């Protein structure tokens, strides 16, 4: 007689067998080692990862994977070799950690990504400048008429300025700039403890059409998505930067970095990454497309960009690789290493 | 199963041989067997029709978007559409509820700024000595010693001003929590419907990851102390509601009946019988609410509410474990002082009552 124990055992065993069979199916990825990308938790880094993954998988036939995380843990991961490639190392923001890792031979620079970017500046929404055309430089914040616009209940009669995330390098730089511009008595600095919180503040003000004053940088989502104007600041010079900081930021340097193992294990991928020219102009077309297509994720964005910019990426890779990638795009293939959604 | 076996054991010798006994046993197991059979059918059918690794249908529609000479297929998903609908509602509330949120925000900021200014105006020795004496009055000399040392630690570690910001933040958050929580607790105790409605909401408030409601909170209030208070109140208000509710429900029904029999109005019963008898439990709720408010200071700092959370966040961002621990300990010390002082005041009252 089939007791329920036997029945239960039978069900369990059959399920186990099925599970094992399913698990065995996707084995045998060839002999090339998997390249793990650091999936930094902001959009530009993820779009760059998806594009690079596509090229690496389809053109050079290395399996790829991603590890999602924040700047600091992922940089530790890269140093330890848990991840292999990071598409965005922000300098001078990460100067200290970067220099130390490079000196220890734990990371290798493969050139720049997202070049030609404006780094960081104090901005106001464009609609505000239309209303007040004379408000166009940091100096104008001393004018009571403009200062008044940004006063809040907490700011003690000063203009509320949403600065940089607590503990980031820009927190101290911005504070020094405010002091250097002679704005200490006119500006009340608010530092969010998290990037997403800072973004939400400007989105909220923009939604309501309210005055907003704060710090943004070229590749941050609000800067790409909203219509913002930079207030003019004294131009950058080494002399002022290393003394009073009473001048604008220098344009950012964003590096592609790899763990040294990659240089020996995947020299062809290294050569391709050294040719990388995806710059801020390219990325802003992607950001605009993402804005128009709210259903799209980073995977879709990468696919969209790759399909429309063959001339750009084919200059980065060997002829054989370019052919393989083009035919993969033609067949609508996607890399196995892409996360389900991202 | 075990129970029926034991029960059936003495009779098994007779019944095992008789057909009716077997039938009976089969019958008693019929629902189980039927359930397993149904599972098996579902398993086989889904494997045959969809194969292993079957996924849920989550896509609503697909659309083609041009990309160069080819196209990219975009999926509209159930989750995506639902999320967009919620976003639209939040956007609507942001613009339409502007006057309300601005009013709340200004009132909170005004209260906080004044408390901070007042506490920062007082010379620090006055606060140290005053709180130490208070600790001695309600506790023992050990509490006094601890209070004095902990406050000096805050001062010499250059955390004094941020600690005052944190205390102001907690004071306002707890005051708002009590203003909301005590009446809701009473309501929950009086009406089972209200209790059943509130319970899952309170569960959600305590388990929902803070940033899920904090981002809309920032859209409404903007970065700053009011958003921090908003986050803190949501996290800290459940204990005082739950324990007020519990305390009043635990009051002996016969005592309430007696009070009613003597002609008390429901309001009098509440004020003169139920609340006094529930007071120890309510005080425990207030104590828990205060400590939970303190636990939120780091989250509050994420929305620019200031205070000791700033020091913790800064240290962590810069990978300075030592500074992080110093600031973390400052929060722990504040918590211990507040906990012991409020507890001693609560039990002190009880002690006096029983002594008298």
């Amino acid at each position: 007689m089939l007791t329920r124990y036997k029945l239960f055992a039978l069900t369990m065993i059959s399920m186990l067998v099925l599970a094992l069979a399913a698990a065995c199916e996707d084995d045998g990825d060839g002999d090339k080692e998997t390249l793990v990308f650091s999936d930094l938790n902001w959009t530009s880094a993820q779009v760059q990862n998806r594009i690079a993954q596509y090229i690496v998988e389809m053109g050079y036939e290395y399996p790829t994977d991603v590890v999602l995380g924040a700047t600091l843990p992922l940089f530790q991961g890269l140093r330890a070799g848990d991840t292999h490639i990071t598409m965005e190392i922000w300098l001078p923001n990460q100067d200290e950690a970067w220099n130390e890792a490079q000196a220890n031979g734990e990371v290798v620079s493969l050139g720049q990504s997202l070049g030609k970017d404006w780094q960081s500046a104090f901005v106001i929404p464009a609609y505000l400048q239309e209303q007040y055309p004379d408000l166009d430089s940091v100096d104008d914040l001393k004018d009571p008429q403009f200062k008044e616009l940004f006063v809040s209940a907490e700011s003690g009669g000063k203009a509320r300025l949403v600065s940089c995330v607590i503990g980031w390098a820009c927190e101290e730089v911005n504070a020094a700039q405010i002091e250097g511009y002679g704005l200490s008595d006119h500006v009340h600095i608010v530092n969010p403890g998290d990037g997403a919180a800072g973004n939400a503040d400007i989105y909220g003000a923009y939604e309501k059409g309210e005055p907003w004053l704060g710090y943004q940088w070229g590749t941050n989502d609000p800067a790409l998505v909203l219509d913002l104007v930079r207030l003019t600041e004294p131009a950058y010079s080494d002399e002022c930067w290393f003394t009073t900081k009473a001048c604008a930021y220098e344009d950012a340097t964003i590096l592609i970095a790899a763990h040294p193992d990659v240089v020996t294990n995947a020299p062809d991928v290294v050569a391709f990454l050294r040719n990388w020219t995806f710059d801020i102009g390219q990325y802003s077309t992607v950001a605009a497309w993402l804005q128009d297509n709210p259903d799209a994720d980073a995977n879709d964005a990468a696919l969209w960009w790759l399909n429309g910019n063959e001339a750009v990426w084919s200059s980065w890779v060997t002829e054989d690789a370019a052919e393989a990638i083009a035919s993969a795009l033609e067949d609508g293939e996607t890399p196995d290493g892409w996360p389900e959604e991202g | 199963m075990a129970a029926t076996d034991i029960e059936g054991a003495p009779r098994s010798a007779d019944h095992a041989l008789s057909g009716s006994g077997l039938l009976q046993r089969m019958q008693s197991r019929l629902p189980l067997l039927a359930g397993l059979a149904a599972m098996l059918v579902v398993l086989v059918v889904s494997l045959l029709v969809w194969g292993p690794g079957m996924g849920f249908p989550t896509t609503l529609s697909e659309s083609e978007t041009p990309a160069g000479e080819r196209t990219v297929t975009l999926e509209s998903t159930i989750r995506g559409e639902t999320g967009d609908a919620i976003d639209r509602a939040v956007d609507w509330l942001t613009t339409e509820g502007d006057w309300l949120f601005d009013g709340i925000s200004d009132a909170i900021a005004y209260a906080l700024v004044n408390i901070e200014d007042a506490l920062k105006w007082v010379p620090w020795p006055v606060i140290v000595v005053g709180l130490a004496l208070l600790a001695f009055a309600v506790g023992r000399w050990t509490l006094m010693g601890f209070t004095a040392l902990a406050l000096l630690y805050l001062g010499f570690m250059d955390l004094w001003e941020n600690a005052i910001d944190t205390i102001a933040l907690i004071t306002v958050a707890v005051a708002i929590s009590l203003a909301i929580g005590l009446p809701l607790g009473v309501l929950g105790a009086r009406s089972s419907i209200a209790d059943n409605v509130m319970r899952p909401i309170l569960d959600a408030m305590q388990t929902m990851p803070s940033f899920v409601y904090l981002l809309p909170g920032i859209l409404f209030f903007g970065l700053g102390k009011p958003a921090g208070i908003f986050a803190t109140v949501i996290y800290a208000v459940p204990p005082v509601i739950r324990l007020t509710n519990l305390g009043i429900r635990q009051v002996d029904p016969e005592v309430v009946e007696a009070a009613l029999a003597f002609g008390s109005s429901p309001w009098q019963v509440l004020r003169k019988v139920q609340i006094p008898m529930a007071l120890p439990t309510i005080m425990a709720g207030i104590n828990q609410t205060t400590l939970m408010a303190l636990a939120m200071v780091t989250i509050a700092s994420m929305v620019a509410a200031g205070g000791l959370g700033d020091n913790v966040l800064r240290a962590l961002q810069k990978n300075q474990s030592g500074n992080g621990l110093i600031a973390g300990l400052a929060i722990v010390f504040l918590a211990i002082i507040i906990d012991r002082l409020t507890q001693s005041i609560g039990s002190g009252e009880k002690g006096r009552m029983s002594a008298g």
Side-chain angles (χ1 to χ4, degrees):
Chain A
M1 195 182 80
L2 194 65
T3 67
R4 59 183 176 154
Y5 296 113
K6 283 184 188 161
L7 199 66
F8 179 70
L10 205 68
T11 320
M12 283 329 246
I13 288 169
S14 54
M15 281 182 154
L16 198 68
V17 169
L18 281 169
L20 282 175
C24 288
E25 246 173 66
D26 47 27
D27 243 19
D29 254 333
D31 46 2
K32 289 187 175 175
E33 254 181 75
T34 303
L35 294 175
V36 182
F37 286 75
S38 313
D39 226 22
L40 295 159
N41 51 0
W42 60 83
T43 318
S44 63
Q46 296 186 351
V47 170
Q48 294 209 83
N49 276 351
R50 300 299 170 271
I51 295 174
Q53 278 183 289
Y54 199 99
I55 292 173
V56 169
E57 275 202 24
M58 302 304 175
Y60 299 93
E61 289 168 359
Y62 289 85
T64 67
D65 202 357
V66 292
V67 177
L68 177 69
T71 314
L72 216 85
L74 281 182
F75 192 65
Q76 293 302 335
L78 184 72
R79 291 172 74 163
D82 299 330
T83 70
H84 302 122
I85 297 166
T86 301
M87 296 301 289
E88 292 189 21
I89 299 281
W90 280 72
L91 302 180
N93 312 40
Q94 275 172 266
D95 259 349
E96 232 172 275
W98 172 256
N99 291 339
E100 187 189 318
Q102 213 179 19
N104 293 346
E106 295 163 325
V107 291
V108 180
S109 161
L110 302 181
Q112 292 198 21
S113 73
L114 288 183
K116 298 179 188 163
D117 181 23
W118 57 278
Q119 155 78 311
S120 306
F122 298 117
V123 302
I124 57 173
Y127 57 74
L128 190 65
Q129 198 172 50
E130 271 168 36
Q131 281 175 279
Y132 303 94
D134 291 338
L135 171 56
D136 57 8
S137 80
V138 285
D139 241 12
D140 293 332
L141 295 170
K142 294 174 185 165
D143 187 334
Q145 169 203 351
F146 298 133
K147 187 161 68 174
E148 184 69 25
L149 292 171
F150 307 105
V151 169
S152 78
E154 273 174 59
S155 67
K158 299 180 186 177
R160 170 182 186 269
L161 182 146
V162 178
S163 184
C164 159
V165 174
I166 293 171
W168 287 10
C170 47
E171 185 193 3
E172 281 166 33
V173 173
N174 295 358
Q177 284 180 317
I178 299 282
E179 205 186 326
Y181 297 153
L183 289 171
S184 300
D185 293 337
H186 305 279
V187 162
H188 170 79
I189 298 177
V190 175
N191 290 310
D194 179 271
N199 292 351
D201 189 68
I202 185 172
Y203 284 132
Y206 206 88
E207 190 79 36
K208 293 180 242 182
E210 282 178 355
W212 191 88
L213 168 67
Y215 166 82
Q216 283 290 321
W217 62 99
T219 48
N220 197 28
D221 279 339
L224 290 159
V225 165
L226 308 177
D227 196 2
L228 307 174
V229 221
R230 279 181 272 171
L231 298 176
T232 41
E233 297 171 59
Y236 173 88
S237 73
D238 282 351
E239 194 200 333
C240 103
W241 190 257
F242 294 107
T243 54
T244 58
K245 289 213 163 45
C247 58
Y249 276 85
E250 190 180 20
D251 280 353
T253 304
I254 305 171
L255 295 181
I256 303 174
H259 190 262
D261 286 354
V262 180
V263 180
T264 44
N265 294 344
D268 40 358
V269 170
V270 168
F272 140 62
L273 286 173
R274 284 195 192 281
N275 292 335
W276 189 262
T277 58
F278 190 84
D279 64 16
I280 190 70
Q282 304 276 1
Y283 182 62
S284 48
T285 63
V286 173
W289 183 80
L290 278 170
Q291 184 73 358
D292 293 339
N293 294 281
D295 289 337
D297 56 21
N299 295 353
D300 300 320
L303 212 53
W304 175 81
W305 186 85
L306 283 161
N307 272 308
N309 295 276
E310 192 163 337
V312 181
W313 57 255
S314 59
S315 70
W316 305 340
V317 297
T318 60
E319 261 173 52
D320 291 347
E323 245 168 68
I325 296 162
S327 76
L329 284 171
E330 191 68 50
D331 299 341
E333 285 179 49
T334 52
D336 296 330
W338 272 5
E340 283 277 298
E341 113 184 64
Chain B
M1 180 61 211
T4 53
D5 275 350
I6 293 164
E7 263 174 38
R11 290 176 293 146
S12 62
D14 316 329
H15 286 263
L17 296 171
S18 71
S20 69
L22 188 68
L23 199 70
Q24 252 183 341
R25 294 186 62 171
M26 286 285 286
Q27 265 176 346
S28 68
R29 288 178 182 176
L30 209 58
L32 258 170
L33 286 172
L36 282 169
M39 280 293 295
L40 203 65
V41 170
V42 173
L43 174 71
V44 169
V45 168
S46 34
L47 280 179
L48 287 179
V49 178
W50 292 284
M54 177 183 170
F56 279 93
T58 53
T59 309
L60 288 173
S61 63
E62 291 190 344
S63 60
E64 301 271 307
T65 312
E69 290 154 20
R70 290 176 279 267
T71 56
V72 175
T73 311
L74 297 183
E75 287 179 351
S76 150
T77 59
I78 299 173
R79 191 177 62 189
E81 293 299 317
T82 316
D84 287 347
I86 296 171
D87 287 350
R88 280 194 296 276
V90 169
D91 286 348
W92 179 83
L93 206 57
T94 308
T95 42
E96 299 301 316
D98 194 17
W99 56 274
L100 174 65
F101 297 123
D102 276 1
I104 298 174
S105 177
D106 285 353
I108 292 176
Y110 183 77
L112 274 168
V113 169
N114 278 311
I115 295 176
E116 282 168 17
D117 286 352
L119 286 175
K120 283 176 190 170
W121 177 83
V122 180
W124 64 263
V126 177
I127 295 181
V128 175
V129 173
L131 277 178
L133 286 178
L134 183 67
F136 184 68
V138 300
R140 282 176 304 164
W141 63 271
T142 41
L143 181 61
M144 181 180 99
F146 176 81
T147 305
L149 284 178
L151 290 173
L152 290 176
Y153 170 88
L154 294 176
F156 288 118
M157 288 293 179
D158 194 17
L159 299 168
W160 187 261
E161 298 222 326
N162 280 3
I164 283 177
D165 286 356
T166 291
I167 289 171
L169 202 71
I170 290 168
T171 309
V172 173
V174 170
I176 295 175
S177 298
L178 297 189
I180 298 171
L182 291 174
L184 283 180
V186 172
L187 181 70
R190 303 217 134 191
S191 145
S192 290
I193 298 175
D195 188 32
N196 286 336
V197 171
M198 274 194 290
R199 197 164 295 210
I201 298 175
L202 294 182
D203 292 339
M205 286 161 75
Q206 287 188 299
T207 42
M208 185 75 82
S210 314
F211 253 68
V212 171
Y213 55 80
L214 258 184
L215 285 188
I218 298 169
L219 290 178
F220 299 153
F221 297 113
L223 279 177
K225 295 177 190 295
I229 295 276
F230 172 72
T232 310
V233 167
I234 286 188
Y235 189 66
V237 79
V240 69
I241 299 181
R242 284 190 214 272
L243 286 168
T244 304
N245 182 342
L246 180 73
I248 291 179
R249 279 173 188 266
Q250 274 176 340
V251 172
D252 192 342
E254 285 179 16
V255 178
V256 176
E257 212 172 294
L260 286 171
F262 279 114
S264 310
S265 69
W267 171 247
Q268 282 174 320
V269 173
L270 179 68
R271 205 165 55 90
K272 297 192 170 161
V273 178
Q274 287 176 314
I275 288 184
M277 290 187 79
L279 204 58
T281 315
I282 296 176
M283 285 303 288
I286 295 175
N287 175 280
Q288 282 303 303
T289 286
T290 314
L291 291 184
M292 291 185 85
L294 251 178
M296 285 294 280
V297 292
T298 318
I299 299 286
S301 276
M302 289 196 164
V303 297
L308 290 170
D310 277 16
N311 300 85
V312 175
L313 283 181
R314 190 169 294 120
L316 296 185
Q317 286 280 7
K318 293 186 169 179
N319 209 5
Q320 301 168 333
S321 313
N323 270 338
L325 188 64
I326 289 170
L329 275 180
I331 296 174
V332 173
F333 288 162
L334 274 189
I336 294 177
I337 294 176
I338 293 174
D339 177 61
R340 300 297 188 274
L341 282 184
T342 52
Q343 250 180 16
S344 306
I345 291 169
S347 62
E349 262 170 23
K350 218 173 20 179
R352 243 171 287 143
M353 266 159 66
S354 60

